[in-house]
Amino acid sequence: MRRTLAAGGVLALLAGCGAGTVEVPVPGPPAAIASVCRSLHDRLPAKVHGKARRATSPKSPLVTAWGSPAIVVRCGVPRPTALKPTSQLAVINGVNWLAVPPGRPVTFTAVGRRAYIEVTVPGAYEPPGDVLIELAGAIKAAVPANPDGSL
């Protein structure tokens, strides 16, 4: 339930944002995961879906945003409560994604990697998979897949 509330909180914070600073809750992963997430932050593109990066508040290398409405990446989030052995995953450029809700996804979580990476894609960006395609290279380069294949 905590994961669902956090995602809902991100969506609520992003809903009314203009082009200023984006308020986004910062995950609190263990130090080893935070280190991996800092590496990801440094590799993420300057633009996503043609939109430039935006400042986030509080400022953190675990959170990155682009455009208005904001596309947001949060690295080091907890394991999604919706992730089950039977979950339908989308594989995009070698990254496994769990979409929530599955019918009309707004939040995607990269799973099967050393850190869970949550991407919130507002409905203004269609198709949302294009955003995931743009992020996949940086994720694969910075966040190793779990060697045992676990999600």
Side-chain angles (χ1 to χ4, degrees):
M1 182 67 105
R2 182 175 171 213
R3 161 68 173 69
T4 303
L5 293 175
V10 170
L11 296 176
L13 287 170
L14 298 177
C17 292
T21 302
V22 182
E23 292 185 39
V24 182
V26 176
I33 301 301
S35 176
V36 169
C37 290
R38 283 190 293 278
S39 175
L40 173 63
H41 177 77
D42 293 343
R43 291 178 185 254
L44 288 170
K47 288 188 174 187
V48 170
H49 211 68
K51 307 297 181 186
R53 278 195 187 196
R54 292 179 59 184
T56 59
S57 177
K59 186 174 181 173
S60 170
L62 305 180
V63 178
T64 310
W66 300 263
S68 181
I71 296 166
V72 175
V73 170
R74 296 186 335 128
C75 185
V77 298
R79 178 186 170 95
T81 56
L83 183 59
K84 309 287 185 227
T86 58
S87 294
Q88 293 275 349
L89 301 178
V91 180
I92 299 175
N93 286 359
V95 177
N96 294 313
W97 295 97
L98 174 69
V100 177
R104 180 160 167 70
V106 174
T107 300
F108 298 86
T109 304
V111 299
R113 302 203 158 264
R114 191 152 174 231
Y116 293 105
I117 305 147
E118 181 182 272
V119 180
T120 302
V121 183
Y125 303 102
E126 290 292 334
D130 285 357
V131 171
L132 304 180
I133 289 168
E134 292 181 53
L135 298 173
I139 290 170
K140 288 191 318 189
V143 184
N146 291 332
D148 63 0
S150 65
L151 297 177

